[in-house]
Amino acid sequence: MILLSKFLIMYKYLFVFLLIFQYSKGNAQTNINLRSIILNDTTTHIANHVAHNSQHFFMLNVKDNVTAEYRNKIVKTDSDFNILNIDQEFDINGEIFNSISFFEIIDDELILISNTQEDSGNKLFTHKYNLNLDYHTIIDSIALGNDYFATTLKNGLSKDFDDQGYIAFGNRYDTFSGSFGPINVLKIDDDFNIVDLQEINSEFYAVFEAEILQQSKQYLISIWGRGMYLLNEKLDFIDTLYVGPTDGFESIFCEEKDNNLYSCISYKRTTDEQALSSIDYEIIENKIEISNITPLNISDSIVVDKNIHQAIVHKDSENRLNIAYAENWHPGHPNDLRNSIYFKRFDVDKNLDIDLKIGGSGEYVLSTVKTDQNENIIITGFYYPQTSNINSIRNFYVVIDDNGKIISNTNSPVNISSFEIFPNPAVDEIWIDIDGIKDLAPYQIYFLDGKLIMSGNLVDGALSKLDITSFAKGMYVVQILTDDKIYIGKFVKG
C-alpha cells in the first residue's frame, strides 16, 4: 500500500484513471445496482467504462476492508445501469491483476492488458472475457521484473501501420521506487499475442497521447510537460516541439488530417480563450511546426472559472468531438476549492453544438467520456465531497442526451433505504410493502453473486406480490428504484 500511496501522490495532478487498484474475493457483494455501488461506497471507484450496443461494461476498483488490498472487478449493466452480470474471477493464475492499460471491446470480446504483482516478479498479461463475463482466458504474458507497464494517460492501443497488429506507447513503472521510467513501446499482433516490449529512450517522461500517422508512416506522441515527439517507422526520434509544463499546450487527442498535417485538441493551465484549443501541426522536412491555433474556450460559450487541469476527448460515430474537462483540484486542501466539470461537443467542422457546465459540491476528477448506441454521452469519474478528507472519495456518472439535455447526474450520494420482505423465508411468492412507492416503480431481483434473475414494474405500487416459484433455493436481493431513493431488501427462497 506504500507503493500505491506514492503512485497516487506522484500523479494527483494528472489524469487519474491510472489508479492501481485491485479487488478481493472475500468481499461480500451487498449493493447490487451500479448507482448504489458507486455512489455510497468510498471503497469502490470507477476506473474505466465501455459502452457496447445497449449495454455498459465498467471496470471497478474495490478495496477489501479486511486485507486493505485493492482488486479489479468488471460489471456489466443494461442501458439504465442495472447490473446484468459481475465477473467473479478477479485474478490471473491466482494473482491479483491491476494497472489496467487497456479495456475495450473488439470483435465482441472484452480485451484487457493488465499487470500482475507476483513473488517471482511482475508480469504483463493480455487476456479476454466473453460479453457474458462467464468465460475468461489468458492470451499471452511477458515478465517485467520489478516494473509495471502502463499506457499512462491514454487508455488504449492503436492499429499499427497497414493494420499490422497493435501498438501502444507508455512507460515502465518501478514498483520499488514508485517512479515512472523511460518511454516504452508495446507491440501486439492481431490475436493479442505480445510481440515486443522495448525501451525507445532513456528520458523519464509520461506519455499523454500517441497517434499513428498512417500516410507518412510516423509516430507522434505527446509528452506531459515536454510537448510533441516525432518518431519514424523504426522508432527513431526525428524531432521535438517543446512546450513548457505551465504555460504550454498539453495535447490530449490527435488525428491525421492529411499527409504531414494533423490536428490536436489541447489544453493549457489558464482561463483565457486558449485554455482549450484545436491546434493544427505540420511536419515539414521532418520538423514539427504549429500552423494554426483555434481557441475553443471562446467568450460566447461557457468559459472556465479556474485553470483547466484535466481534459478527455471522445470521437463518436458521427465524428463529433466530445470534450469533458475539469478545473484545478486539490484533494485534502484545508480551503474549499470546489471545481466544476465542463462539456463541449463540436461537429466535424468544429462548430459548437453542446455547451454545458456541470457544477456540484466537490472536487471532480474525470475518468472516461464515452457515447452509447443512442449517442448519449456518459461522463464518469470521482470527486471529494469533503475537501478536508482525501479518503472520502465518491463516484459519479453524468448522462447527456444527443440534444445536450442532462438526463442523469449522480454527483451526490444516493439515498438508500432497506425494507422488509414477507414471508421470509419464502417458497412461492413474496410481498413488498413500502409506504410511498407508486405504481410501475421498476424493480430487479438478483442472486447474491450479482446475476439478474427477474425485473419488471410493481403493478400494485406500495403493496405488491411477486411470484418466485421458479427460483432456485438461496438468498436474493430485491432492489426498487424511485426518482430520489433506492430500496434494498433481501429474502431467502426455501
Side-chain angles (χ1 to χ4, degrees), residues 172-213:
R172 296 283 284 262
Y173 178 76
D174 189 318
T175 57
F176 283 166
S177 66
S179 61
F180 273 96
I183 299 172
N184 276 239
V185 175
L186 174 68
K187 289 196 173 186
I188 294 175
D189 67 19
D190 287 327
D191 296 320
F192 290 93
N193 295 297
I194 297 173
V195 176
D196 191 23
L197 178 63
Q198 67 178 99
E199 179 181 312
I200 61 171
N201 83 332
S202 59
E203 296 178 325
F204 290 22
Y205 302 132
V207 176
F208 248 28
E209 155 79 8
E211 182 66 26
I212 315 304
L213 308 180

mmCIF file of all heavy atoms in Angstrom, residues 172-213:
data_model
loop_
_atom_site.group_PDB
_atom_site.id
_atom_site.type_symbol
_atom_site.label_atom_id
_atom_site.label_comp_id
_atom_site.label_asym_id
_atom_site.label_seq_id
_atom_site.Cartn_x
_atom_site.Cartn_y
_atom_site.Cartn_z
ATOM 1 N N ARG A 172 7.436 2.302 -18.305
ATOM 2 C CA ARG A 172 7.647 1.316 -17.253
ATOM 3 C C ARG A 172 7.533 2.040 -15.918
ATOM 4 O O ARG A 172 8.000 3.167 -15.763
ATOM 5 C CB ARG A 172 9.016 0.666 -17.394
ATOM 6 C CG ARG A 172 9.200 -0.131 -18.664
ATOM 7 C CD ARG A 172 8.513 -1.481 -18.621
ATOM 8 N NE ARG A 172 9.243 -2.447 -17.816
ATOM 9 C CZ ARG A 172 10.067 -3.365 -18.312
ATOM 10 N NH1 ARG A 172 10.277 -3.433 -19.620
ATOM 11 N NH2 ARG A 172 10.676 -4.228 -17.519
ATOM 12 N N TYR A 173 6.913 1.396 -14.951
ATOM 13 C CA TYR A 173 6.735 1.969 -13.627
ATOM 14 C C TYR A 173 7.433 1.075 -12.618
ATOM 15 O O TYR A 173 7.122 -0.116 -12.489
ATOM 16 C CB TYR A 173 5.246 2.083 -13.297
ATOM 17 C CG TYR A 173 4.966 2.616 -11.914
ATOM 18 C CD1 TYR A 173 5.115 3.961 -11.631
ATOM 19 C CD2 TYR A 173 4.553 1.761 -10.895
ATOM 20 C CE1 TYR A 173 4.870 4.455 -10.369
ATOM 21 C CE2 TYR A 173 4.299 2.247 -9.621
ATOM 22 C CZ TYR A 173 4.450 3.596 -9.364
ATOM 23 O OH TYR A 173 4.209 4.072 -8.116
ATOM 24 N N ASP A 174 8.405 1.624 -11.900
ATOM 25 C CA ASP A 174 9.188 0.869 -10.939
ATOM 26 C C ASP A 174 8.417 0.761 -9.629
ATOM 27 O O ASP A 174 8.162 1.760 -8.955
ATOM 28 C CB ASP A 174 10.531 1.569 -10.695
ATOM 29 C CG ASP A 174 11.496 0.721 -9.877
ATOM 30 O OD1 ASP A 174 11.052 0.085 -8.902
ATOM 31 O OD2 ASP A 174 12.698 0.702 -10.211
ATOM 32 N N THR A 175 8.023 -0.467 -9.269
ATOM 33 C CA THR A 175 7.196 -0.657 -8.081
ATOM 34 C C THR A 175 7.972 -0.486 -6.782
ATOM 35 O O THR A 175 7.380 -0.313 -5.722
ATOM 36 C CB THR A 175 6.550 -2.051 -8.099
ATOM 37 O OG1 THR A 175 7.583 -3.044 -8.182
ATOM 38 C CG2 THR A 175 5.630 -2.195 -9.289
ATOM 39 N N PHE A 176 9.303 -0.549 -6.837
ATOM 40 C CA PHE A 176 10.112 -0.329 -5.628
ATOM 41 C C PHE A 176 10.304 1.158 -5.351
ATOM 42 O O PHE A 176 10.097 1.634 -4.241
ATOM 43 C CB PHE A 176 11.471 -1.024 -5.758
ATOM 44 C CG PHE A 176 11.411 -2.512 -5.546
ATOM 45 C CD1 PHE A 176 12.480 -3.312 -5.901
ATOM 46 C CD2 PHE A 176 10.284 -3.107 -4.993
ATOM 47 C CE1 PHE A 176 12.429 -4.688 -5.703
ATOM 48 C CE2 PHE A 176 10.223 -4.481 -4.791
ATOM 49 C CZ PHE A 176 11.291 -5.270 -5.144
ATOM 50 N N SER A 177 10.711 1.905 -6.372
ATOM 51 C CA SER A 177 10.986 3.331 -6.167
ATOM 52 C C SER A 177 9.735 4.183 -6.271
ATOM 53 O O SER A 177 9.721 5.337 -5.845
ATOM 54 C CB SER A 177 12.015 3.813 -7.199
ATOM 55 O OG SER A 177 11.467 3.760 -8.513
ATOM 56 N N GLY A 178 8.661 3.629 -6.862
ATOM 57 C CA GLY A 178 7.434 4.398 -7.017
ATOM 58 C C GLY A 178 7.549 5.504 -8.045
ATOM 59 O O GLY A 178 6.950 6.561 -7.886
ATOM 60 N N SER A 179 8.317 5.265 -9.121
ATOM 61 C CA SER A 179 8.514 6.310 -10.125
ATOM 62 C C SER A 179 8.418 5.718 -11.524
ATOM 63 O O SER A 179 8.674 4.531 -11.742
ATOM 64 C CB SER A 179 9.888 6.970 -9.945
ATOM 65 O OG SER A 179 10.923 6.014 -10.110
ATOM 66 N N PHE A 180 8.035 6.580 -12.476
ATOM 67 C CA PHE A 180 7.963 6.166 -13.864
ATOM 68 C C PHE A 180 9.344 6.180 -14.496
ATOM 69 O O PHE A 180 10.167 7.039 -14.201
ATOM 70 C CB PHE A 180 7.023 7.068 -14.663
ATOM 71 C CG PHE A 180 5.602 6.620 -14.597
ATOM 72 C CD1 PHE A 180 4.745 7.179 -13.676
ATOM 73 C CD2 PHE A 180 5.138 5.626 -15.421
ATOM 74 C CE1 PHE A 180 3.432 6.775 -13.593
ATOM 75 C CE2 PHE A 180 3.833 5.201 -15.359
ATOM 76 C CZ PHE A 180 2.971 5.776 -14.447
ATOM 77 N N GLY A 181 9.563 5.226 -15.383
ATOM 78 C CA GLY A 181 10.828 5.106 -16.076
ATOM 79 C C GLY A 181 10.719 5.543 -17.520
ATOM 80 O O GLY A 181 9.805 6.282 -17.902
ATOM 81 N N PRO A 182 11.631 5.079 -18.358
ATOM 82 C CA PRO A 182 11.698 5.522 -19.749
ATOM 83 C C PRO A 182 10.451 5.149 -20.553
ATOM 84 O O PRO A 182 9.657 4.288 -20.168
ATOM 85 C CB PRO A 182 12.928 4.776 -20.284
ATOM 86 C CG PRO A 182 13.715 4.390 -19.078
ATOM 87 C CD PRO A 182 12.726 4.156 -18.003
ATOM 88 N N ILE A 183 10.328 5.812 -21.709
ATOM 89 C CA ILE A 183 9.231 5.513 -22.626
ATOM 90 C C ILE A 183 9.470 4.142 -23.251
ATOM 91 O O ILE A 183 10.567 3.818 -23.685
ATOM 92 C CB ILE A 183 9.136 6.580 -23.734
ATOM 93 C CG1 ILE A 183 8.868 7.952 -23.099
ATOM 94 C CG2 ILE A 183 8.043 6.236 -24.737
ATOM 95 C CD1 ILE A 183 8.937 9.089 -24.082
ATOM 96 N N ASN A 184 8.424 3.319 -23.275
ATOM 97 C CA ASN A 184 8.471 2.000 -23.883
ATOM 98 C C ASN A 184 7.387 1.877 -24.934
ATOM 99 O O ASN A 184 6.385 2.607 -24.906
ATOM 100 C CB ASN A 184 8.272 0.911 -22.825
ATOM 101 C CG ASN A 184 9.563 0.537 -22.108
ATOM 102 O OD1 ASN A 184 9.984 -0.609 -22.136
ATOM 103 N ND2 ASN A 184 10.181 1.510 -21.445
ATOM 104 N N VAL A 185 7.574 0.934 -25.845
ATOM 105 C CA VAL A 185 6.587 0.649 -26.882
ATOM 106 C C VAL A 185 6.203 -0.818 -26.785
ATOM 107 O O VAL A 185 7.066 -1.698 -26.762
ATOM 108 C CB VAL A 185 7.140 0.959 -28.288
ATOM 109 C CG1 VAL A 185 6.131 0.540 -29.344
ATOM 110 C CG2 VAL A 185 7.439 2.442 -28.423
ATOM 111 N N LEU A 186 4.894 -1.065 -26.716
ATOM 112 C CA LEU A 186 4.359 -2.419 -26.683
ATOM 113 C C LEU A 186 3.760 -2.737 -28.043
ATOM 114 O O LEU A 186 2.928 -1.985 -28.550
ATOM 115 C CB LEU A 186 3.290 -2.528 -25.594
ATOM 116 C CG LEU A 186 2.526 -3.850 -25.511
ATOM 117 C CD1 LEU A 186 3.448 -4.982 -25.057
ATOM 118 C CD2 LEU A 186 1.328 -3.716 -24.566
ATOM 119 N N LYS A 187 4.179 -3.855 -28.641
ATOM 120 C CA LYS A 187 3.613 -4.301 -29.914
ATOM 121 C C LYS A 187 2.899 -5.635 -29.708
ATOM 122 O O LYS A 187 3.426 -6.540 -29.062
ATOM 123 C CB LYS A 187 4.702 -4.429 -30.976
ATOM 124 C CG LYS A 187 5.251 -3.078 -31.434
ATOM 125 C CD LYS A 187 6.023 -3.202 -32.733
ATOM 126 C CE LYS A 187 6.421 -1.833 -33.273
ATOM 127 N NZ LYS A 187 7.048 -1.906 -34.611
ATOM 128 N N ILE A 188 1.688 -5.715 -30.278
ATOM 129 C CA ILE A 188 0.825 -6.881 -30.115
ATOM 130 C C ILE A 188 0.263 -7.252 -31.476
ATOM 131 O O ILE A 188 -0.078 -6.371 -32.279
ATOM 132 C CB ILE A 188 -0.317 -6.561 -29.124
ATOM 133 C CG1 ILE A 188 0.267 -6.323 -27.731
ATOM 134 C CG2 ILE A 188 -1.348 -7.667 -29.077
ATOM 135 C CD1 ILE A 188 -0.751 -5.886 -26.714
ATOM 136 N N ASP A 189 0.156 -8.566 -31.755
ATOM 137 C CA ASP A 189 -0.386 -8.963 -33.056
ATOM 138 C C ASP A 189 -1.913 -8.934 -33.027
ATOM 139 O O ASP A 189 -2.529 -8.595 -32.006
ATOM 140 C CB ASP A 189 0.162 -10.328 -33.482
ATOM 141 C CG ASP A 189 -0.311 -11.483 -32.602
ATOM 142 O OD1 ASP A 189 -1.321 -11.329 -31.883
ATOM 143 O OD2 ASP A 189 0.341 -12.555 -32.630
ATOM 144 N N ASP A 190 -2.533 -9.288 -34.141
ATOM 145 C CA ASP A 190 -3.986 -9.192 -34.250
ATOM 146 C C ASP A 190 -4.723 -10.151 -33.323
ATOM 147 O O ASP A 190 -5.920 -9.975 -33.057
ATOM 148 C CB ASP A 190 -4.421 -9.438 -35.695
ATOM 149 C CG ASP A 190 -4.073 -8.267 -36.600
ATOM 150 O OD1 ASP A 190 -4.096 -7.122 -36.114
ATOM 151 O OD2 ASP A 190 -3.763 -8.493 -37.787
ATOM 152 N N ASP A 191 -4.037 -11.187 -32.853
ATOM 153 C CA ASP A 191 -4.633 -12.137 -31.913
ATOM 154 C C ASP A 191 -4.299 -11.782 -30.468
ATOM 155 O O ASP A 191 -4.556 -12.552 -29.557
ATOM 156 C CB ASP A 191 -4.149 -13.555 -32.217
ATOM 157 C CG ASP A 191 -4.613 -14.042 -33.589
ATOM 158 O OD1 ASP A 191 -5.767 -13.748 -33.945
ATOM 159 O OD2 ASP A 191 -3.815 -14.685 -34.291
ATOM 160 N N PHE A 192 -3.667 -10.631 -30.269
ATOM 161 C CA PHE A 192 -3.298 -10.094 -28.967
ATOM 162 C C PHE A 192 -2.210 -10.905 -28.260
ATOM 163 O O PHE A 192 -2.132 -10.932 -27.033
ATOM 164 C CB PHE A 192 -4.535 -9.925 -28.075
ATOM 165 C CG PHE A 192 -5.422 -8.820 -28.576
ATOM 166 C CD1 PHE A 192 -6.475 -9.097 -29.434
ATOM 167 C CD2 PHE A 192 -5.173 -7.505 -28.244
ATOM 168 C CE1 PHE A 192 -7.271 -8.087 -29.929
ATOM 169 C CE2 PHE A 192 -5.971 -6.486 -28.728
ATOM 170 C CZ PHE A 192 -7.008 -6.776 -29.576
ATOM 171 N N ASN A 193 -1.375 -11.542 -29.068
ATOM 172 C CA ASN A 193 -0.132 -12.084 -28.537
ATOM 173 C C ASN A 193 0.894 -10.951 -28.471
ATOM 174 O O ASN A 193 0.961 -10.093 -29.350
ATOM 175 C CB ASN A 193 0.396 -13.201 -29.428
ATOM 176 C CG ASN A 193 -0.536 -14.404 -29.444
ATOM 177 O OD1 ASN A 193 -0.746 -15.039 -28.419
ATOM 178 N ND2 ASN A 193 -1.107 -14.681 -30.603
ATOM 179 N N ILE A 194 1.705 -10.952 -27.408
ATOM 180 C CA ILE A 194 2.705 -9.904 -27.232
ATOM 181 C C ILE A 194 3.892 -10.181 -28.145
ATOM 182 O O ILE A 194 4.526 -11.232 -28.057
ATOM 183 C CB ILE A 194 3.169 -9.834 -25.768
ATOM 184 C CG1 ILE A 194 1.988 -9.462 -24.868
ATOM 185 C CG2 ILE A 194 4.303 -8.818 -25.600
ATOM 186 C CD1 ILE A 194 2.294 -9.527 -23.391
ATOM 187 N N VAL A 195 4.191 -9.243 -29.022
ATOM 188 C CA VAL A 195 5.297 -9.380 -29.968
ATOM 189 C C VAL A 195 6.579 -8.811 -29.385
ATOM 190 O O VAL A 195 7.654 -9.423 -29.465
ATOM 191 C CB VAL A 195 4.959 -8.691 -31.308
ATOM 192 C CG1 VAL A 195 6.146 -8.757 -32.264
ATOM 193 C CG2 VAL A 195 3.724 -9.311 -31.929
ATOM 194 N N ASP A 196 6.475 -7.628 -28.756
ATOM 195 C CA ASP A 196 7.690 -6.983 -28.263
ATOM 196 C C ASP A 196 7.316 -5.897 -27.273
ATOM 197 O O ASP A 196 6.242 -5.288 -27.348
ATOM 198 C CB ASP A 196 8.469 -6.365 -29.428
ATOM 199 C CG ASP A 196 9.872 -5.902 -29.029
ATOM 200 O OD1 ASP A 196 10.390 -6.429 -28.026
ATOM 201 O OD2 ASP A 196 10.428 -5.039 -29.715
ATOM 202 N N LEU A 197 8.186 -5.658 -26.311
ATOM 203 C CA LEU A 197 8.108 -4.517 -25.412
ATOM 204 C C LEU A 197 9.512 -3.955 -25.300
ATOM 205 O O LEU A 197 10.401 -4.595 -24.748
ATOM 206 C CB LEU A 197 7.584 -4.929 -24.033
ATOM 207 C CG LEU A 197 7.517 -3.808 -22.982
ATOM 208 C CD1 LEU A 197 6.547 -2.717 -23.415
ATOM 209 C CD2 LEU A 197 7.113 -4.362 -21.621
ATOM 210 N N GLN A 198 9.742 -2.762 -25.869
ATOM 211 C CA GLN A 198 11.092 -2.235 -25.934
ATOM 212 C C GLN A 198 11.172 -0.795 -25.460
ATOM 213 O O GLN A 198 10.231 -0.012 -25.603
ATOM 214 C CB GLN A 198 11.639 -2.319 -27.366
ATOM 215 C CG GLN A 198 10.932 -1.407 -28.367
ATOM 216 C CD GLN A 198 11.548 -1.491 -29.748
ATOM 217 O OE1 GLN A 198 11.056 -2.182 -30.620
ATOM 218 N NE2 GLN A 198 12.636 -0.765 -29.934
ATOM 219 N N GLU A 199 12.292 -0.451 -24.848
ATOM 220 C CA GLU A 199 12.569 0.917 -24.431
ATOM 221 C C GLU A 199 13.068 1.699 -25.632
ATOM 222 O O GLU A 199 13.923 1.241 -26.370
ATOM 223 C CB GLU A 199 13.612 0.906 -23.324
ATOM 224 C CG GLU A 199 14.009 2.277 -22.814
ATOM 225 C CD GLU A 199 15.076 2.190 -21.739
ATOM 226 O OE1 GLU A 199 14.901 1.377 -20.804
ATOM 227 O OE2 GLU A 199 16.094 2.911 -21.848
ATOM 228 N N ILE A 200 12.511 2.908 -25.830
ATOM 229 C CA ILE A 200 12.922 3.685 -27.009
ATOM 230 C C ILE A 200 13.671 4.961 -26.639
ATOM 231 O O ILE A 200 14.195 5.638 -27.523
ATOM 232 C CB ILE A 200 11.725 4.031 -27.905
ATOM 233 C CG1 ILE A 200 10.698 4.885 -27.146
ATOM 234 C CG2 ILE A 200 11.088 2.768 -28.451
ATOM 235 C CD1 ILE A 200 9.616 5.429 -28.050
ATOM 236 N N ASN A 201 13.706 5.333 -25.364
ATOM 237 C CA ASN A 201 14.578 6.429 -24.939
ATOM 238 C C ASN A 201 14.803 6.319 -23.436
ATOM 239 O O ASN A 201 14.157 5.537 -22.746
ATOM 240 C CB ASN A 201 13.999 7.788 -25.322
ATOM 241 C CG ASN A 201 12.976 8.288 -24.334
ATOM 242 O OD1 ASN A 201 12.308 7.502 -23.671
ATOM 243 N ND2 ASN A 201 12.817 9.598 -24.257
ATOM 244 N N SER A 202 15.724 7.076 -22.929
ATOM 245 C CA SER A 202 16.099 6.970 -21.526
ATOM 246 C C SER A 202 15.514 8.087 -20.675
ATOM 247 O O SER A 202 15.812 8.177 -19.487
ATOM 248 C CB SER A 202 17.632 6.989 -21.388
ATOM 249 O OG SER A 202 18.167 8.189 -21.944
ATOM 250 N N GLU A 203 14.686 8.949 -21.281
ATOM 251 C CA GLU A 203 14.122 10.060 -20.531
ATOM 252 C C GLU A 203 12.861 9.606 -19.803
ATOM 253 O O GLU A 203 12.057 8.843 -20.339
ATOM 254 C CB GLU A 203 13.798 11.225 -21.475
ATOM 255 C CG GLU A 203 15.034 11.814 -22.149
ATOM 256 C CD GLU A 203 14.676 12.929 -23.110
ATOM 257 O OE1 GLU A 203 13.615 12.838 -23.740
ATOM 258 O OE2 GLU A 203 15.451 13.876 -23.220
ATOM 259 N N PHE A 204 12.671 10.128 -18.600
ATOM 260 C CA PHE A 204 11.572 9.681 -17.761
ATOM 261 C C PHE A 204 10.396 10.653 -17.897
ATOM 262 O O PHE A 204 10.127 11.442 -17.000
ATOM 263 C CB PHE A 204 12.027 9.590 -16.305
ATOM 264 C CG PHE A 204 12.991 8.475 -16.027
ATOM 265 C CD1 PHE A 204 13.756 7.916 -17.037
ATOM 266 C CD2 PHE A 204 13.132 7.976 -14.750
ATOM 267 C CE1 PHE A 204 14.646 6.894 -16.786
ATOM 268 C CE2 PHE A 204 14.015 6.940 -14.481
ATOM 269 C CZ PHE A 204 14.788 6.399 -15.494
ATOM 270 N N TYR A 205 9.688 10.604 -19.012
ATOM 271 C CA TYR A 205 8.552 11.476 -19.246
ATOM 272 C C TYR A 205 7.317 10.638 -19.524
ATOM 273 O O TYR A 205 7.369 9.654 -20.263
ATOM 274 C CB TYR A 205 8.812 12.418 -20.432
ATOM 275 C CG TYR A 205 10.028 13.295 -20.258
ATOM 276 C CD1 TYR A 205 10.974 13.411 -21.271
ATOM 277 C CD2 TYR A 205 10.230 14.002 -19.077
ATOM 278 C CE1 TYR A 205 12.091 14.213 -21.108
ATOM 279 C CE2 TYR A 205 11.347 14.799 -18.906
ATOM 280 C CZ TYR A 205 12.272 14.903 -19.920
ATOM 281 O OH TYR A 205 13.375 15.689 -19.756
ATOM 282 N N ALA A 206 6.192 11.045 -18.940
ATOM 283 C CA ALA A 206 4.955 10.287 -19.073
ATOM 284 C C ALA A 206 4.271 10.594 -20.405
ATOM 285 O O ALA A 206 4.140 11.748 -20.807
ATOM 286 C CB ALA A 206 4.020 10.614 -17.914
ATOM 287 N N VAL A 207 3.792 9.550 -21.072
ATOM 288 C CA VAL A 207 3.126 9.691 -22.366
ATOM 289 C C VAL A 207 1.668 10.097 -22.154
ATOM 290 O O VAL A 207 0.935 9.465 -21.398
ATOM 291 C CB VAL A 207 3.192 8.369 -23.154
ATOM 292 C CG1 VAL A 207 2.420 8.486 -24.458
ATOM 293 C CG2 VAL A 207 4.638 7.979 -23.415
ATOM 294 N N PHE A 208 1.257 11.178 -22.820
ATOM 295 C CA PHE A 208 -0.130 11.635 -22.791
ATOM 296 C C PHE A 208 -0.945 10.972 -23.898
ATOM 297 O O PHE A 208 -2.026 10.464 -23.668
ATOM 298 C CB PHE A 208 -0.150 13.150 -23.024
ATOM 299 C CG PHE A 208 -0.574 13.937 -21.817
ATOM 300 C CD1 PHE A 208 -0.363 13.465 -20.540
ATOM 301 C CD2 PHE A 208 -1.171 15.171 -21.969
ATOM 302 C CE1 PHE A 208 -0.744 14.201 -19.438
ATOM 303 C CE2 PHE A 208 -1.549 15.916 -20.871
ATOM 304 C CZ PHE A 208 -1.342 15.429 -19.609
ATOM 305 N N GLU A 209 -0.431 11.028 -25.097
ATOM 306 C CA GLU A 209 -1.199 10.662 -26.291
ATOM 307 C C GLU A 209 -0.236 10.156 -27.336
ATOM 308 O O GLU A 209 0.911 10.611 -27.427
ATOM 309 C CB GLU A 209 -1.950 11.898 -26.811
ATOM 310 C CG GLU A 209 -2.301 11.920 -28.281
ATOM 311 C CD GLU A 209 -3.521 11.069 -28.614
ATOM 312 O OE1 GLU A 209 -4.171 10.596 -27.688
ATOM 313 O OE2 GLU A 209 -3.795 10.895 -29.808
ATOM 314 N N ALA A 210 -0.665 9.191 -28.127
ATOM 315 C CA ALA A 210 0.158 8.695 -29.230
ATOM 316 C C ALA A 210 -0.714 8.545 -30.464
ATOM 317 O O ALA A 210 -1.806 7.987 -30.392
ATOM 318 C CB ALA A 210 0.801 7.357 -28.871
ATOM 319 N N GLU A 211 -0.255 9.060 -31.569
ATOM 320 C CA GLU A 211 -1.007 8.996 -32.823
ATOM 321 C C GLU A 211 -0.163 8.318 -33.889
ATOM 322 O O GLU A 211 1.023 8.615 -34.046
ATOM 323 C CB GLU A 211 -1.401 10.404 -33.277
ATOM 324 C CG GLU A 211 -2.223 10.441 -34.547
ATOM 325 C CD GLU A 211 -3.595 9.794 -34.367
ATOM 326 O OE1 GLU A 211 -4.107 9.763 -33.228
ATOM 327 O OE2 GLU A 211 -4.147 9.324 -35.380
ATOM 328 N N ILE A 212 -0.791 7.390 -34.613
ATOM 329 C CA ILE A 212 -0.126 6.685 -35.707
ATOM 330 C C ILE A 212 -0.421 7.435 -36.998
ATOM 331 O O ILE A 212 -1.581 7.524 -37.421
ATOM 332 C CB ILE A 212 -0.619 5.229 -35.820
ATOM 333 C CG1 ILE A 212 -0.692 4.564 -34.443
ATOM 334 C CG2 ILE A 212 0.256 4.449 -36.779
ATOM 335 C CD1 ILE A 212 0.581 4.588 -33.661
ATOM 336 N N LEU A 213 0.588 8.011 -37.613
ATOM 337 C CA LEU A 213 0.410 8.757 -38.864
ATOM 338 C C LEU A 213 0.561 7.774 -40.017
ATOM 339 O O LEU A 213 1.658 7.494 -40.498
ATOM 340 C CB LEU A 213 1.436 9.888 -38.953
ATOM 341 C CG LEU A 213 1.503 10.817 -37.727
ATOM 342 C CD1 LEU A 213 2.548 11.899 -37.927
ATOM 343 C CD2 LEU A 213 0.142 11.424 -37.433
#
